[in-house]
Amino acid sequence: MAFSSASKDSDDPFSLYMSEVKAIEKADAVLTSSQQIDRLNRPGSKYFNLNPYDVLQVDPEDDLNEVKKKYRKLSILVHPDKNQQDSERAKKAFDAVKKAWETLNKEETRKECLGVVEDAKNRLELQLKAKRKKQKKEGNVSQIPEDNEITYALELHKETCKLFADLAIVRQEMEMREMNERKRQRQFEIEAEEKAKLQKEWNKNYEESREGRISSWQNFKKGSGKKRKAASNPMKSFRPPKVKMEER
């Protein structure tokens, strides 16, 4: 690690110790089915399982073929069919393993994950730089706990998980906005369809009643013409009263 103060010489005690630690971690990386199920269901797993490297117990620098091998081993260990006595938690663990592999197997999302790790390193380095500066200003030693390789790795792991969680929140917010936009657009389409339907129905009724309106208008015009003709020659319709003969 960049912040280790120990020598990289193979005879250095710290280097030997780290080699032993890594060997133990590699040997215990797979563990048993129940241990892996416990790990992937531990408190805060919803948060930690957002980090695909943490789920598969691989390093960002690992070759994709190595990641695939680890995925296959883990998926077999935690498969619900193999853990029917604990199928519910096994399914949750299996889903986490599957999702982590799908994320790292795609080139686009794998590059995105590598970017998250790089951002975590940069952020941590800025934090450590500020920490050293503060200690120096206060007259303390310039070394900090994160100069230890193990402590640094733990801090980097925490920062990486935090960034993956932040990324998940951003994605969730984007999906929510997109969903609301789709709902709004669909509501607009429904209203437009309803409006078009009403307009079509109105046009249909209008056309169907058109002939009746024309016929009524023509009848009205004919009736009005007769009245006007009778009014222009009033004597034609005038009838004189009958004369009653006088009786004697």
Side-chain angles (χ1 to χ4, degrees):
M1 290 291 182
F3 286 93
S4 175
S5 57
S7 169
K8 297 300 180 184
D9 190 273
S10 59
D11 296 328
D12 183 80
F14 185 78
S15 296
L16 291 172
Y17 168 74
M18 285 305 302
S19 297
E20 291 177 3
V21 170
K22 288 181 178 178
I24 293 170
E25 288 178 345
K26 186 175 182 181
D28 291 344
V30 176
L31 303 175
T32 65
S33 295
S34 60
Q35 287 172 316
Q36 285 293 354
I37 292 172
D38 287 342
R39 179 179 72 86
L40 295 168
N41 284 274
R42 68 193 186 277
S45 59
K46 185 177 180 181
Y47 168 79
F48 291 112
N49 290 352
L50 294 171
N51 182 348
Y53 302 111
D54 188 79
V55 172
L56 298 178
Q57 295 182 308
V58 295
D59 292 326
E61 297 81 12
D62 286 348
D63 182 79
L64 188 60
N65 288 328
E66 291 299 316
V67 177
K68 188 175 184 178
K69 290 178 183 177
K70 180 60 71 67
Y71 157 69
R72 286 177 173 173
K73 289 179 181 178
L74 285 174
S75 63
I76 292 171
L77 280 172
V78 302
H79 199 284
D81 290 347
K82 187 179 178 181
N83 300 275
Q84 295 183 11
Q85 75 286 354
D86 196 7
S87 59
E88 187 175 341
R89 294 199 319 140
K91 185 180 185 307
K92 181 181 175 182
F94 180 80
D95 289 344
V97 170
K98 183 180 179 182
K99 183 177 180 181
W101 164 246
E102 289 174 348
T103 300
L104 295 179
N105 187 40
K106 295 177 184 176
E107 184 177 359
E108 183 180 353
T109 48
R110 184 170 66 252
K111 286 182 179 179
E112 190 178 68
C113 290
L114 289 172
V116 170
V117 174
E118 192 63 30
D119 287 346
K121 288 180 180 178
N122 293 336
R123 289 193 182 195
L124 182 57
E125 287 184 11
L126 289 174
Q127 293 171 18
L128 299 185
K129 185 178 179 180
K131 197 171 183 179
R132 288 193 186 89
K133 186 176 180 180
K134 182 180 179 182
Q135 286 203 168
K136 188 176 181 180
K137 188 177 180 180
E138 293 174 350
N140 298 325
V141 293
S142 59
Q143 280 193 331
I144 56 177
E146 290 80 6
D147 286 331
N148 179 287
E149 188 170 357
I150 296 176
T151 305
Y152 175 84
L154 290 173
E155 290 301 315
L156 179 59
H157 176 262
K158 286 194 289 186
E159 190 66 26
T160 303
C161 287
K162 180 179 180 298
L163 288 186
F164 272 112
D166 291 343
L167 180 62
I169 291 172
V170 170
R171 282 176 175 165
Q172 190 176 25
E173 290 176 348
M174 289 179 63
E175 289 173 359
M176 185 64 68
R177 284 198 296 268
E178 289 175 359
M179 184 181 71
N180 290 334
E181 179 60 24
R182 287 195 298 270
K183 286 174 66 177
R184 190 192 67 80
Q185 184 63 30
R186 182 53 188 156
Q187 185 62 34
F188 176 80
E189 290 173 356
I190 290 173
E191 291 175 358
E193 289 171 2
E194 188 65 26
K195 186 177 180 180
K197 183 180 177 181
L198 291 173
Q199 184 65 43
K200 184 178 179 180
E201 189 70 23
W202 189 90
N203 291 340
K204 180 181 177 183
N205 294 336
Y206 181 85
E207 288 298 323
E208 288 177 350
S209 62
R210 184 178 180 183
E211 186 175 343
R213 293 197 310 275
I214 293 173
S215 178
S216 298
W217 173 248
Q218 290 174 343
N219 293 336
F220 173 76
K221 286 177 66 178
K222 289 178 180 178
S224 299
K226 289 179 180 179
K227 288 180 181 179
R228 285 197 301 271
K229 192 173 182 182
S232 62
N233 189 9
M235 296 302 295
K236 191 171 184 180
S237 58
F238 175 74
R239 294 182 179 180
K242 293 182 178 181
V243 179
K244 189 176 180 181
M245 298 296 294
E246 184 179 352
E247 293 182 0
R248 296 191 178 188

